[in-house]
Amino acid sequence: MGHGKYAVEPENPGKTCKARGSHLRTHFKKMREVGNAIKGMPLKKAQSYLEDVLDFKQAVPFKRFTGGCGRTAQAKQLNAPGSQAGWPIKPTKYMLDLLRNLESNAEVKGLEVDRLYLNYVSIQQSKKMRRRTYRAHGRINAYMSSPCHVELMCTEESDGVKKTDDADTKERRMLSRKKIAQLRLKNQLPVGGGVN
């Protein structure tokens, strides 16, 4: 895995945990689709989703790299274009390993694992690895593999701002802009939204 610089730095490092994999020997295009499928999911939900992919209960939608990808009825649930989806086993196993690593990094950092969600997933092409294949008439062609780099970040979900139950603001929200302007002219409404 190794140490290195991430493509982005988190906004709140205290509430964020990271994991990365470099030169992973799995297809970049398939790994990109797996990463795109789990982006934005809660960590636990992403793990259970990928477990279902390994059991062929759910599929990964193929949205960008669709050449040669088959169609399946499971893709209709995912709104995949052209019902194209698949079950990329090797990239899914790599991604599950990285998610486990991310979870243990979060536990070491003291974050609540149940409140983590994947806010950053980056899949990038790595340097191609070279082999050769033998063709007719004594020729040799390149037989390249396309490994990838993966970077993941999880952030702890923060508590949202609660809505006020102020009767005055609720009443003002019900009025149209024209009505508010008329009331302001008659000095029945205060000017501005500040606190008195």
Side-chain angles (χ1 to χ4, degrees), residues 180-195:
I180 290 172
Q182 287 172 349
L183 290 172
R184 195 175 290 129
L185 274 172
K186 293 179 185 175
N187 292 328
Q188 290 182 351
L189 268 179
V191 177
V195 179

PDB file of all heavy atoms in Angstrom, residues 180-195:
ATOM      1  N   ILE A 180     -45.938  40.723   1.751  1.00  0.00           N
ATOM      2  CA  ILE A 180     -44.942  41.182   2.728  1.00  0.00           C
ATOM      3  C   ILE A 180     -44.582  42.644   2.467  1.00  0.00           C
ATOM      4  O   ILE A 180     -44.471  43.445   3.397  1.00  0.00           O
ATOM      5  CB  ILE A 180     -43.686  40.281   2.676  1.00  0.00           C
ATOM      6  CG1 ILE A 180     -44.014  38.892   3.254  1.00  0.00           C
ATOM      7  CG2 ILE A 180     -42.519  40.891   3.440  1.00  0.00           C
ATOM      8  CD1 ILE A 180     -42.932  37.866   3.084  1.00  0.00           C
ATOM      9  N   ALA A 181     -44.411  43.001   1.177  1.00  0.00           N
ATOM     10  CA  ALA A 181     -44.081  44.391   0.820  1.00  0.00           C
ATOM     11  C   ALA A 181     -45.203  45.341   1.227  1.00  0.00           C
ATOM     12  O   ALA A 181     -44.960  46.444   1.726  1.00  0.00           O
ATOM     13  CB  ALA A 181     -43.807  44.491  -0.669  1.00  0.00           C
ATOM     14  N   GLN A 182     -46.475  44.918   1.033  1.00  0.00           N
ATOM     15  CA  GLN A 182     -47.613  45.768   1.404  1.00  0.00           C
ATOM     16  C   GLN A 182     -47.671  45.962   2.919  1.00  0.00           C
ATOM     17  O   GLN A 182     -47.914  47.075   3.405  1.00  0.00           O
ATOM     18  CB  GLN A 182     -48.918  45.137   0.907  1.00  0.00           C
ATOM     19  CG  GLN A 182     -49.113  45.225  -0.596  1.00  0.00           C
ATOM     20  CD  GLN A 182     -50.312  44.420  -1.083  1.00  0.00           C
ATOM     21  OE1 GLN A 182     -50.878  43.628  -0.336  1.00  0.00           O
ATOM     22  NE2 GLN A 182     -50.680  44.615  -2.338  1.00  0.00           N
ATOM     23  N   LEU A 183     -47.452  44.896   3.680  1.00  0.00           N
ATOM     24  CA  LEU A 183     -47.466  44.996   5.141  1.00  0.00           C
ATOM     25  C   LEU A 183     -46.309  45.856   5.652  1.00  0.00           C
ATOM     26  O   LEU A 183     -46.442  46.585   6.629  1.00  0.00           O
ATOM     27  CB  LEU A 183     -47.405  43.596   5.761  1.00  0.00           C
ATOM     28  CG  LEU A 183     -48.656  42.729   5.584  1.00  0.00           C
ATOM     29  CD1 LEU A 183     -48.409  41.315   6.059  1.00  0.00           C
ATOM     30  CD2 LEU A 183     -49.831  43.336   6.352  1.00  0.00           C
ATOM     31  N   ARG A 184     -45.151  45.773   4.981  1.00  0.00           N
ATOM     32  CA  ARG A 184     -44.000  46.571   5.383  1.00  0.00           C
ATOM     33  C   ARG A 184     -44.285  48.062   5.162  1.00  0.00           C
ATOM     34  O   ARG A 184     -43.876  48.900   5.951  1.00  0.00           O
ATOM     35  CB  ARG A 184     -42.772  46.120   4.583  1.00  0.00           C
ATOM     36  CG  ARG A 184     -41.475  46.624   5.184  1.00  0.00           C
ATOM     37  CD  ARG A 184     -40.246  46.087   4.480  1.00  0.00           C
ATOM     38  NE  ARG A 184     -40.066  44.675   4.716  1.00  0.00           N
ATOM     39  CZ  ARG A 184     -39.879  43.770   3.767  1.00  0.00           C
ATOM     40  NH1 ARG A 184     -39.877  44.132   2.499  1.00  0.00           N
ATOM     41  NH2 ARG A 184     -39.714  42.505   4.071  1.00  0.00           N
ATOM     42  N   LEU A 185     -45.041  48.379   4.075  1.00  0.00           N
ATOM     43  CA  LEU A 185     -45.405  49.772   3.804  1.00  0.00           C
ATOM     44  C   LEU A 185     -46.331  50.319   4.888  1.00  0.00           C
ATOM     45  O   LEU A 185     -46.261  51.487   5.259  1.00  0.00           O
ATOM     46  CB  LEU A 185     -46.086  49.886   2.436  1.00  0.00           C
ATOM     47  CG  LEU A 185     -45.139  50.049   1.242  1.00  0.00           C
ATOM     48  CD1 LEU A 185     -45.911  49.962  -0.061  1.00  0.00           C
ATOM     49  CD2 LEU A 185     -44.419  51.384   1.314  1.00  0.00           C
ATOM     50  N   LYS A 186     -47.202  49.459   5.401  1.00  0.00           N
ATOM     51  CA  LYS A 186     -48.148  49.873   6.440  1.00  0.00           C
ATOM     52  C   LYS A 186     -47.499  49.797   7.827  1.00  0.00           C
ATOM     53  O   LYS A 186     -48.197  49.960   8.832  1.00  0.00           O
ATOM     54  CB  LYS A 186     -49.378  48.971   6.416  1.00  0.00           C
ATOM     55  CG  LYS A 186     -50.213  49.135   5.152  1.00  0.00           C
ATOM     56  CD  LYS A 186     -51.394  48.194   5.195  1.00  0.00           C
ATOM     57  CE  LYS A 186     -52.186  48.234   3.900  1.00  0.00           C
ATOM     58  NZ  LYS A 186     -53.273  47.249   3.881  1.00  0.00           N
ATOM     59  N   ASN A 187     -46.192  49.491   7.883  1.00  0.00           N
ATOM     60  CA  ASN A 187     -45.435  49.374   9.141  1.00  0.00           C
ATOM     61  C   ASN A 187     -45.982  48.288  10.064  1.00  0.00           C
ATOM     62  O   ASN A 187     -45.907  48.399  11.280  1.00  0.00           O
ATOM     63  CB  ASN A 187     -45.387  50.706   9.893  1.00  0.00           C
ATOM     64  CG  ASN A 187     -44.562  51.730   9.152  1.00  0.00           C
ATOM     65  OD1 ASN A 187     -43.600  51.363   8.480  1.00  0.00           O
ATOM     66  ND2 ASN A 187     -44.942  52.985   9.256  1.00  0.00           N
ATOM     67  N   GLN A 188     -46.557  47.266   9.476  1.00  0.00           N
ATOM     68  CA  GLN A 188     -47.037  46.150  10.306  1.00  0.00           C
ATOM     69  C   GLN A 188     -45.990  45.049  10.403  1.00  0.00           C
ATOM     70  O   GLN A 188     -46.094  44.190  11.248  1.00  0.00           O
ATOM     71  CB  GLN A 188     -48.344  45.593   9.726  1.00  0.00           C
ATOM     72  CG  GLN A 188     -49.509  46.555   9.889  1.00  0.00           C
ATOM     73  CD  GLN A 188     -50.796  45.964   9.347  1.00  0.00           C
ATOM     74  OE1 GLN A 188     -50.797  44.930   8.715  1.00  0.00           O
ATOM     75  NE2 GLN A 188     -51.895  46.672   9.580  1.00  0.00           N
ATOM     76  N   LEU A 189     -44.992  45.084   9.504  1.00  0.00           N
ATOM     77  CA  LEU A 189     -43.899  44.088   9.550  1.00  0.00           C
ATOM     78  C   LEU A 189     -42.593  44.824   9.719  1.00  0.00           C
ATOM     79  O   LEU A 189     -42.363  45.851   9.108  1.00  0.00           O
ATOM     80  CB  LEU A 189     -43.841  43.273   8.246  1.00  0.00           C
ATOM     81  CG  LEU A 189     -44.611  41.982   8.177  1.00  0.00           C
ATOM     82  CD1 LEU A 189     -44.451  41.346   6.817  1.00  0.00           C
ATOM     83  CD2 LEU A 189     -44.179  41.004   9.244  1.00  0.00           C
ATOM     84  N   PRO A 190     -41.693  44.303  10.545  1.00  0.00           N
ATOM     85  CA  PRO A 190     -40.383  44.950  10.708  1.00  0.00           C
ATOM     86  C   PRO A 190     -39.547  44.762   9.451  1.00  0.00           C
ATOM     87  O   PRO A 190     -39.673  43.782   8.729  1.00  0.00           O
ATOM     88  CB  PRO A 190     -39.765  44.206  11.892  1.00  0.00           C
ATOM     89  CG  PRO A 190     -40.454  42.896  11.918  1.00  0.00           C
ATOM     90  CD  PRO A 190     -41.841  43.123  11.399  1.00  0.00           C
ATOM     91  N   VAL A 191     -38.680  45.735   9.195  1.00  0.00           N
ATOM     92  CA  VAL A 191     -37.796  45.679   8.034  1.00  0.00           C
ATOM     93  C   VAL A 191     -36.578  44.827   8.395  1.00  0.00           C
ATOM     94  O   VAL A 191     -36.007  44.980   9.460  1.00  0.00           O
ATOM     95  CB  VAL A 191     -37.348  47.118   7.620  1.00  0.00           C
ATOM     96  CG1 VAL A 191     -36.368  47.046   6.456  1.00  0.00           C
ATOM     97  CG2 VAL A 191     -38.552  47.955   7.260  1.00  0.00           C
ATOM     98  N   GLY A 192     -36.204  43.922   7.493  1.00  0.00           N
ATOM     99  CA  GLY A 192     -35.040  43.061   7.721  1.00  0.00           C
ATOM    100  C   GLY A 192     -35.402  41.851   8.547  1.00  0.00           C
ATOM    101  O   GLY A 192     -36.450  41.774   9.179  1.00  0.00           O
ATOM    102  N   GLY A 193     -34.501  40.877   8.549  1.00  0.00           N
ATOM    103  CA  GLY A 193     -34.780  39.625   9.258  1.00  0.00           C
ATOM    104  C   GLY A 193     -33.994  39.474  10.525  1.00  0.00           C
ATOM    105  O   GLY A 193     -33.843  38.376  11.045  1.00  0.00           O
ATOM    106  N   GLY A 194     -33.421  40.570  11.058  1.00  0.00           N
ATOM    107  CA  GLY A 194     -32.581  40.495  12.245  1.00  0.00           C
ATOM    108  C   GLY A 194     -33.380  40.292  13.513  1.00  0.00           C
ATOM    109  O   GLY A 194     -34.612  40.397  13.544  1.00  0.00           O
ATOM    110  N   VAL A 195     -32.667  40.006  14.590  1.00  0.00           N
ATOM    111  CA  VAL A 195     -33.304  39.811  15.897  1.00  0.00           C
ATOM    112  C   VAL A 195     -33.439  41.165  16.570  1.00  0.00           C
ATOM    113  O   VAL A 195     -32.517  41.973  16.579  1.00  0.00           O
ATOM    114  CB  VAL A 195     -32.432  38.862  16.769  1.00  0.00           C
ATOM    115  CG1 VAL A 195     -33.063  38.664  18.115  1.00  0.00           C
ATOM    116  CG2 VAL A 195     -32.215  37.555  16.053  1.00  0.00           C
TER     117      VAL A 195
END
